Amino acid sequence: MITVRHLSKVFDSKGKPFKVLRDVNCEIGKGEVISIIGPSGTGKSTFLRCINRLETPTSGEILIDGEDILDDRADLPKLRRKMGMVFQGFNLFNHLTILENVSVGPVKLLGMSRQESREQAMELLRMVGMAEKADAYPADLSGGQKQRVAIARCLSMKPDIILFDEPTSALDPTMVSEVLAVIRQLAKQGMTMAIVTHEMKFARDVSTRIFFMNEGVIYEEGTPEQIFDHPSKPATQAFINRIRSLDFTVMSRNYDLYGMNGKLEQFCRKYSLSDDKCTRAQLLLEELLSGVLPLEKGTAHIRFDYSEKNYNLYLEIRQENCAVPVMDNATVDDLSMKIVRGYCDCIEEIQEEGSRLVTMRIK
Amino acid sequence: MKFRFSLFAAVISILVSGCGHRQGTGVKEPESIEDISNARIVTILGSLQDLDLENNYPEFTNLKLNSTSELIAAVQSGNADYLLVDSISFAGFDLKSRGLKAYFTLPVGGDIAFGFRYDEKELADSYNAFLQKIRNDGTYAEIVGRWIKGDVASSNMPDIPLSGDGDPIVVGVAVSYPFEFIKNGDWAGFEVELMLRFAEFAGRSVRFENYDFNSITAALMTDKIDVICAQMTVSPERAKQVLFSDSHYYSGTVCIGRDPKRGGVPAISGEDLNSCRLGVLSGSSMDVYANETFSGAEIFRADGMENLVNALETGQVDAILSMDALSAEILAGHSDFIALDERLYRDSLSAVFSPGGAKLWKSFNDMLSSLKESGEYENILDRWRKDGTLAEMPVFGVSEGLSPLRIGIQTGTSAYCFERNGVYCGFSVELAHLFAKTQGRPVVFTDDTFSGLLSKLEEGSIDMICSSGTLTEARSKKLLFSDNMLDVNIIAITKKLQQSSGHTSFFSDIRESFRTNIILEDRWKMILSGLWETLVISLFSILLGTIVGAGLCGMRLSGVRTLDSVARFVIDIVRGIPMLVFLMIMFYVVFASSGMTGRWIAIIAFAINFGAYTSEMFRTGIEGVDKGQTEAGLAMGFTRAGTFINFILPQAVGKILPVYKGEAISLIKNTSIVGYIAIADLTRVSDIIRSRTFDAFFPLIIVSIIYFILAWLLGRLLDRFASKIQL
């Protein structure tokens, strides 16, 4: 139904070209529910907006039922009628009532009679639970209610596919579920949908396929099980496990321990780690830097990774130009090693292109 | 809304009441131009008087205005002291009723002629031949008699049949009474009749176009008109551009200022005396006269002039009767009083004696006749008349011996009988002293009211009354009256209109102004036609201007750099030029030879101006609508235009309307300058009426009320429109 080939989009940001989409390829078939996930700024929304030409791609091909939407001769309004779009900011027509919002399209574009369109609108509003507010204006509604009306407005045009651009991102947490419920229901009815979302649980439940976008490409795609349970690529894994990181680079013995401890504390507080864990991480860092690591050999890259999924805090150290083992080093006294081992478990050490890579999990 | 109207009414009434006339300074009346060197003088811009002042008296304060009516308004309102103007401008005009006075004439003057273009020499020659002809056959004298020498107010244009064939002579007229003005909706006046008769002579028709005097030469130069008919004086400077015909009139200059004696308009007129509350001295001849003549009036009788004055001051009476000599004193002391012009009747003052005093009576009469014969009487009277209460009172020696002569007097505010530093003075007191001297007796004066004196005379406690006793029939039967001691005129004194606090007089004034400015000579028809002109220009400018604004806005939003720059350039240019200058440029330069009527040029100029201002409103209004609205429309499958019309425009209009409304209202008011390009709009019509009635305030206020109503109606209309399309 929708085929995208080699899609790229370059924005001009302050005179500097900025490549949002590099090379996107995909197919979306009828009846599919595609969730597009990925870190912010990786082009998810831009990709969606290219599909209905709200953004003009720089190069590539988008075929809708075989018709190239990028062709200058393409009848854009007609193609767009096949695709509904639900916006993050709702974008209801502020000067029209709820009922008019849902009936204006059919009357003006589909040639539906006023009466007929009103009946259809009421039916759609009942479906999304908004019939009561038919005569209200958008300004009178809450965010969740607005978004449900926006979905009804989409449906009024009887689209073949609906594009959801972060439909719940602008909502209060309390209103997210009412909107998601409506979308779930549409999925059940077999509506073809492409949803850009940050609601992972929802994406997993509702989707037939998941696109994981990273750095302007569809980095990995697959069924919800593949993506959520067995992501095959590191960026996907990090994203799925919701890894948060804190980096330090230590070049010599003249490091600023207090500064690093401060940052570490801030990091722990931000992701609600326990005080004990935070203290252990700080002591571990101090111990490693003061005695264990051979800092005179070369720069050490230290990274704390915290997974919001399984709540583990990892420490990763990459010691450049170092051929000797870091942890099993005879020069290091036993006491220091004992202390280190007291703070963490699962210590692994590997050799990687002249660097030693040590990972450990903080208790 | 009611509140808004009452507020408006309050402002208007403050304006009206603030238009009081300043009292003259009372210094020596000016007799030559040197006497007004320190005064504020007004002249018509570019007139001979203006040039004369600039060239010969550059140190004078010379304020320049555009028309005679403005000059009069300036002097009347006290914004200027004297006006210098062609003397014929005031032919047949009642200066007095306006509280003005012509002081002196100046030899500054010139020949008045029609102005032609140099390339229309034939027309000018033809006019000169025509002028020669009518001078010879007496028609010219007849025209002069009608418009200059005679009673202009009642003169009417004779019927002059014109052939409608051929090109009309387009005549540029600048209103200048009595040469060219509008009477009963048609042009009338000296030069107008000359022009019509000339057209008849030349077998052509005529079309009059009303211009401002300042722009009329430009109109001739740009072929807008064929001839200037604007009481224009021939000058070498003008002759460089204008081919003048032979002179058809010569006019000198007159200097006009406020009349210090007539610094106002009486609250009631002579006719009103029969229906007002009238104060008189009880028992005086005025009492009798008032009873007989003003049977309809409510007569208020008082003893003593000061009581009458007080009654007038406090509003118990509308007018009082007084002797003229007395009135000067009263008026000097009360700046809000004014004497009516007409003399009511002539009376004589006599000394009064009891029937038993026939001997005294006879000797008093003898003394009077001998004084009159010797001329001494005139000397005494002149002294008191000339210097009033400041005149010197001769000192009389005290005669001893015989019983004193008891003379009753009534002191008051007059130079006839008053008290100064404890000494009785005045004309009648002097006579009384002289009489006592002839009798060889000392004098004892008794000061009382006139009725008090009469009863004292009857009971014999005084021998005679030598005061303002006037002869009445009833009295003369009981008492002896001497020969005529003094001739006096009896006049009425009333309050000035403006200072009057009574509502009746305020509203009767309004009514009178309404009659002269609106009803008389069908002037309301002119106001209606002016209103129509203002409406047409305003509405078309708003409609066309909105389209221009939308176009400019479209160019700015097009995203095409050149279109954006062009639109921006146009907007900056138009906004940077004063509207009046822009209008004149459009009229005299851009569309000078287009043959378009002034009305359309005005509409185009105002439309461009309106468009320049509104385009930026439109732009900000449209840009103020959230981008998401456009995206939603597009995503649904609307075209760009469809999205704009269905979703963006309605929302933008709601945002724009309040400012748009303000701009539209200010456009209506701005159209008041179209008079400069010869369009008789509402403001211009009020100018024309003012030039005829010389009433500065009423036409302005009527017109301002009409503008207010127009603006208000337009505001309501747009509000209704807004509520229809808005949420």
Side-chain angles (χ1 to χ4, degrees), chain B residues 540-569:
Chain B
F540 275 93
S541 303
I542 290 173
L543 288 179
L544 205 62
T546 306
I547 295 169
V548 171
L552 286 172
C553 172
M555 286 166 76
R556 290 222 52 191
L557 292 176
S558 64
V560 181
R561 187 162 288 189
T562 44
L563 287 182
D564 181 30
S565 318
V566 169
R568 231 190 261 207
F569 181 73

mmCIF file of all heavy atoms in Angstrom, chain B residues 540-569:
data_model
loop_
_atom_site.group_PDB
_atom_site.id
_atom_site.type_symbol
_atom_site.label_atom_id
_atom_site.label_comp_id
_atom_site.label_asym_id
_atom_site.label_seq_id
_atom_site.Cartn_x
_atom_site.Cartn_y
_atom_site.Cartn_z
ATOM 1 N N PHE B 540 -16.427 53.140 -0.787
ATOM 2 C CA PHE B 540 -15.654 52.594 -1.900
ATOM 3 C C PHE B 540 -14.180 52.464 -1.522
ATOM 4 O O PHE B 540 -13.525 51.504 -1.908
ATOM 5 C CB PHE B 540 -15.820 53.461 -3.150
ATOM 6 C CG PHE B 540 -17.039 53.101 -3.956
ATOM 7 C CD1 PHE B 540 -18.239 53.747 -3.745
ATOM 8 C CD2 PHE B 540 -16.988 52.094 -4.910
ATOM 9 C CE1 PHE B 540 -19.372 53.405 -4.461
ATOM 10 C CE2 PHE B 540 -18.107 51.743 -5.627
ATOM 11 C CZ PHE B 540 -19.307 52.400 -5.409
ATOM 12 N N SER B 541 -13.674 53.450 -0.777
ATOM 13 C CA SER B 541 -12.264 53.370 -0.376
ATOM 14 C C SER B 541 -12.035 52.173 0.523
ATOM 15 O O SER B 541 -11.022 51.482 0.410
ATOM 16 C CB SER B 541 -11.836 54.635 0.372
ATOM 17 O OG SER B 541 -12.057 55.756 -0.409
ATOM 18 N N ILE B 542 -12.991 51.929 1.420
ATOM 19 C CA ILE B 542 -12.825 50.806 2.338
ATOM 20 C C ILE B 542 -12.855 49.492 1.558
ATOM 21 O O ILE B 542 -12.001 48.621 1.742
ATOM 22 C CB ILE B 542 -13.896 50.834 3.439
ATOM 23 C CG1 ILE B 542 -13.635 51.997 4.395
ATOM 24 C CG2 ILE B 542 -13.929 49.514 4.208
ATOM 25 C CD1 ILE B 542 -14.721 52.221 5.404
ATOM 26 N N LEU B 543 -13.827 49.386 0.634
ATOM 27 C CA LEU B 543 -13.934 48.147 -0.144
ATOM 28 C C LEU B 543 -12.692 47.935 -1.007
ATOM 29 O O LEU B 543 -12.027 46.904 -0.933
ATOM 30 C CB LEU B 543 -15.182 48.203 -1.034
ATOM 31 C CG LEU B 543 -16.510 48.071 -0.299
ATOM 32 C CD1 LEU B 543 -17.671 48.172 -1.264
ATOM 33 C CD2 LEU B 543 -16.561 46.739 0.446
ATOM 34 N N LEU B 544 -12.388 48.976 -1.792
ATOM 35 C CA LEU B 544 -11.251 48.875 -2.696
ATOM 36 C C LEU B 544 -9.952 48.722 -1.906
ATOM 37 O O LEU B 544 -9.070 47.938 -2.260
ATOM 38 C CB LEU B 544 -11.198 50.141 -3.561
ATOM 39 C CG LEU B 544 -10.510 50.029 -4.908
ATOM 40 C CD1 LEU B 544 -11.227 49.024 -5.781
ATOM 41 C CD2 LEU B 544 -10.506 51.396 -5.597
ATOM 42 N N GLY B 545 -9.873 49.488 -0.810
ATOM 43 C CA GLY B 545 -8.672 49.463 0.017
ATOM 44 C C GLY B 545 -8.459 48.094 0.641
ATOM 45 O O GLY B 545 -7.320 47.641 0.804
ATOM 46 N N THR B 546 -9.552 47.427 0.996
ATOM 47 C CA THR B 546 -9.431 46.088 1.565
ATOM 48 C C THR B 546 -8.864 45.136 0.520
ATOM 49 O O THR B 546 -8.012 44.294 0.830
ATOM 50 C CB THR B 546 -10.801 45.604 2.051
ATOM 51 O OG1 THR B 546 -11.334 46.587 2.931
ATOM 52 C CG2 THR B 546 -10.683 44.284 2.772
ATOM 53 N N ILE B 547 -9.310 45.329 -0.720
ATOM 54 C CA ILE B 547 -8.781 44.482 -1.798
ATOM 55 C C ILE B 547 -7.291 44.781 -1.997
ATOM 56 O O ILE B 547 -6.469 43.866 -2.095
ATOM 57 C CB ILE B 547 -9.568 44.722 -3.100
ATOM 58 C CG1 ILE B 547 -11.019 44.258 -2.903
ATOM 59 C CG2 ILE B 547 -8.922 43.985 -4.264
ATOM 60 C CD1 ILE B 547 -11.948 44.678 -3.999
ATOM 61 N N VAL B 548 -6.957 46.078 -2.035
ATOM 62 C CA VAL B 548 -5.541 46.454 -2.180
ATOM 63 C C VAL B 548 -4.724 45.865 -1.027
ATOM 64 O O VAL B 548 -3.653 45.287 -1.228
ATOM 65 C CB VAL B 548 -5.386 47.998 -2.202
ATOM 66 C CG1 VAL B 548 -3.916 48.394 -2.121
ATOM 67 C CG2 VAL B 548 -6.013 48.569 -3.464
ATOM 68 N N GLY B 549 -5.276 45.996 0.186
ATOM 69 C CA GLY B 549 -4.587 45.472 1.368
ATOM 70 C C GLY B 549 -4.375 43.969 1.256
ATOM 71 O O GLY B 549 -3.302 43.452 1.561
ATOM 72 N N ALA B 550 -5.430 43.272 0.790
ATOM 73 C CA ALA B 550 -5.320 41.818 0.646
ATOM 74 C C ALA B 550 -4.239 41.494 -0.374
ATOM 75 O O ALA B 550 -3.437 40.574 -0.177
ATOM 76 C CB ALA B 550 -6.656 41.236 0.228
ATOM 77 N N GLY B 551 -4.215 42.282 -1.472
ATOM 78 C CA GLY B 551 -3.208 42.059 -2.516
ATOM 79 C C GLY B 551 -1.802 42.254 -1.985
ATOM 80 O O GLY B 551 -0.931 41.403 -2.178
ATOM 81 N N LEU B 552 -1.601 43.373 -1.285
ATOM 82 C CA LEU B 552 -0.270 43.654 -0.730
ATOM 83 C C LEU B 552 0.125 42.579 0.270
ATOM 84 O O LEU B 552 1.266 42.117 0.303
ATOM 85 C CB LEU B 552 -0.259 45.031 -0.057
ATOM 86 C CG LEU B 552 -0.264 46.237 -1.006
ATOM 87 C CD1 LEU B 552 -0.461 47.525 -0.230
ATOM 88 C CD2 LEU B 552 1.038 46.303 -1.791
ATOM 89 N N CYS B 553 -0.858 42.178 1.074
ATOM 90 C CA CYS B 553 -0.609 41.132 2.071
ATOM 91 C C CYS B 553 -0.220 39.837 1.372
ATOM 92 O O CYS B 553 0.721 39.163 1.781
ATOM 93 C CB CYS B 553 -1.868 40.961 2.919
ATOM 94 S SG CYS B 553 -1.786 39.563 4.022
ATOM 95 N N GLY B 554 -0.937 39.533 0.296
ATOM 96 C CA GLY B 554 -0.633 38.327 -0.469
ATOM 97 C C GLY B 554 0.783 38.373 -1.012
ATOM 98 O O GLY B 554 1.520 37.379 -0.974
ATOM 99 N N MET B 555 1.186 39.573 -1.515
ATOM 100 C CA MET B 555 2.541 39.708 -2.036
ATOM 101 C C MET B 555 3.568 39.484 -0.938
ATOM 102 O O MET B 555 4.591 38.841 -1.135
ATOM 103 C CB MET B 555 2.731 41.105 -2.646
ATOM 104 C CG MET B 555 2.023 41.269 -3.978
ATOM 105 S SD MET B 555 1.913 43.003 -4.486
ATOM 106 C CE MET B 555 3.578 43.313 -5.040
ATOM 107 N N ARG B 556 3.258 40.013 0.247
ATOM 108 C CA ARG B 556 4.214 39.882 1.335
ATOM 109 C C ARG B 556 4.337 38.432 1.801
ATOM 110 O O ARG B 556 5.386 37.995 2.251
ATOM 111 C CB ARG B 556 3.815 40.778 2.507
ATOM 112 C CG ARG B 556 4.007 42.247 2.192
ATOM 113 C CD ARG B 556 4.607 42.979 3.335
ATOM 114 N NE ARG B 556 5.815 42.345 3.816
ATOM 115 C CZ ARG B 556 6.422 42.666 4.941
ATOM 116 N NH1 ARG B 556 5.907 43.607 5.697
ATOM 117 N NH2 ARG B 556 7.505 42.060 5.318
ATOM 118 N N LEU B 557 3.219 37.704 1.729
ATOM 119 C CA LEU B 557 3.238 36.328 2.226
ATOM 120 C C LEU B 557 3.583 35.314 1.137
ATOM 121 O O LEU B 557 3.652 34.126 1.398
ATOM 122 C CB LEU B 557 1.880 35.973 2.836
ATOM 123 C CG LEU B 557 1.504 36.711 4.130
ATOM 124 C CD1 LEU B 557 0.102 36.335 4.550
ATOM 125 C CD2 LEU B 557 2.487 36.387 5.231
ATOM 126 N N SER B 558 3.772 35.841 -0.100
ATOM 127 C CA SER B 558 3.932 34.921 -1.232
ATOM 128 C C SER B 558 5.194 34.089 -1.120
ATOM 129 O O SER B 558 5.273 33.007 -1.678
ATOM 130 C CB SER B 558 3.987 35.714 -2.528
ATOM 131 O OG SER B 558 5.145 36.537 -2.527
ATOM 132 N N GLY B 559 6.178 34.629 -0.398
ATOM 133 C CA GLY B 559 7.437 33.910 -0.317
ATOM 134 C C GLY B 559 8.336 34.225 -1.497
ATOM 135 O O GLY B 559 9.468 33.782 -1.552
ATOM 136 N N VAL B 560 7.810 35.011 -2.453
ATOM 137 C CA VAL B 560 8.650 35.437 -3.576
ATOM 138 C C VAL B 560 9.322 36.745 -3.178
ATOM 139 O O VAL B 560 8.645 37.708 -2.834
ATOM 140 C CB VAL B 560 7.798 35.658 -4.849
ATOM 141 C CG1 VAL B 560 8.693 36.075 -6.009
ATOM 142 C CG2 VAL B 560 7.017 34.401 -5.178
ATOM 143 N N ARG B 561 10.627 36.751 -3.185
ATOM 144 C CA ARG B 561 11.346 37.870 -2.606
ATOM 145 C C ARG B 561 11.029 39.193 -3.297
ATOM 146 O O ARG B 561 10.845 40.215 -2.656
ATOM 147 C CB ARG B 561 12.851 37.591 -2.637
ATOM 148 C CG ARG B 561 13.639 38.645 -1.895
ATOM 149 C CD ARG B 561 15.018 38.176 -1.556
ATOM 150 N NE ARG B 561 15.014 37.162 -0.501
ATOM 151 C CZ ARG B 561 16.127 36.718 0.092
ATOM 152 N NH1 ARG B 561 17.289 37.200 -0.267
ATOM 153 N NH2 ARG B 561 16.067 35.809 1.025
ATOM 154 N N THR B 562 10.971 39.182 -4.637
ATOM 155 C CA THR B 562 10.733 40.451 -5.345
ATOM 156 C C THR B 562 9.339 40.996 -5.012
ATOM 157 O O THR B 562 9.186 42.193 -4.781
ATOM 158 C CB THR B 562 10.850 40.255 -6.873
ATOM 159 O OG1 THR B 562 10.171 39.066 -7.221
ATOM 160 C CG2 THR B 562 12.292 40.195 -7.304
ATOM 161 N N LEU B 563 8.342 40.126 -5.008
ATOM 162 C CA LEU B 563 6.993 40.593 -4.683
ATOM 163 C C LEU B 563 6.956 41.184 -3.280
ATOM 164 O O LEU B 563 6.374 42.234 -3.047
ATOM 165 C CB LEU B 563 5.989 39.431 -4.761
ATOM 166 C CG LEU B 563 5.631 38.944 -6.161
ATOM 167 C CD1 LEU B 563 4.591 37.834 -6.079
ATOM 168 C CD2 LEU B 563 5.090 40.099 -6.995
ATOM 169 N N ASP B 564 7.608 40.490 -2.374
ATOM 170 C CA ASP B 564 7.664 40.954 -0.983
ATOM 171 C C ASP B 564 8.293 42.343 -0.916
ATOM 172 O O ASP B 564 7.775 43.252 -0.279
ATOM 173 C CB ASP B 564 8.463 39.941 -0.154
ATOM 174 C CG ASP B 564 8.532 40.344 1.309
ATOM 175 O OD1 ASP B 564 7.576 41.001 1.781
ATOM 176 O OD2 ASP B 564 9.523 40.010 1.971
ATOM 177 N N SER B 565 9.419 42.523 -1.631
ATOM 178 C CA SER B 565 10.115 43.822 -1.590
ATOM 179 C C SER B 565 9.254 44.912 -2.193
ATOM 180 O O SER B 565 9.188 46.023 -1.666
ATOM 181 C CB SER B 565 11.433 43.752 -2.359
ATOM 182 O OG SER B 565 12.085 42.563 -2.080
ATOM 183 N N VAL B 566 8.599 44.606 -3.317
ATOM 184 C CA VAL B 566 7.744 45.610 -3.957
ATOM 185 C C VAL B 566 6.639 46.033 -2.996
ATOM 186 O O VAL B 566 6.395 47.230 -2.774
ATOM 187 C CB VAL B 566 7.133 45.052 -5.261
ATOM 188 C CG1 VAL B 566 6.034 45.985 -5.767
ATOM 189 C CG2 VAL B 566 8.208 44.899 -6.323
ATOM 190 N N ALA B 567 5.975 45.057 -2.384
ATOM 191 C CA ALA B 567 4.887 45.370 -1.462
ATOM 192 C C ALA B 567 5.397 46.194 -0.294
ATOM 193 O O ALA B 567 4.798 47.197 0.096
ATOM 194 C CB ALA B 567 4.253 44.073 -0.949
ATOM 195 N N ARG B 568 6.551 45.792 0.220
ATOM 196 C CA ARG B 568 7.108 46.511 1.355
ATOM 197 C C ARG B 568 7.421 47.959 0.985
ATOM 198 O O ARG B 568 7.165 48.884 1.733
ATOM 199 C CB ARG B 568 8.401 45.815 1.799
ATOM 200 C CG ARG B 568 8.399 45.539 3.286
ATOM 201 C CD ARG B 568 9.761 45.100 3.659
ATOM 202 N NE ARG B 568 9.784 43.645 3.739
ATOM 203 C CZ ARG B 568 10.648 43.021 4.528
ATOM 204 N NH1 ARG B 568 11.503 43.686 5.252
ATOM 205 N NH2 ARG B 568 10.651 41.716 4.566
ATOM 206 N N PHE B 569 7.950 48.138 -0.220
ATOM 207 C CA PHE B 569 8.291 49.470 -0.718
ATOM 208 C C PHE B 569 7.032 50.348 -0.792
ATOM 209 O O PHE B 569 7.003 51.465 -0.291
ATOM 210 C CB PHE B 569 8.940 49.341 -2.096
ATOM 211 C CG PHE B 569 9.352 50.641 -2.708
ATOM 212 C CD1 PHE B 569 10.462 51.331 -2.230
ATOM 213 C CD2 PHE B 569 8.631 51.186 -3.767
ATOM 214 C CE1 PHE B 569 10.842 52.536 -2.797
ATOM 215 C CE2 PHE B 569 9.006 52.390 -4.332
ATOM 216 C CZ PHE B 569 10.114 53.061 -3.856
#
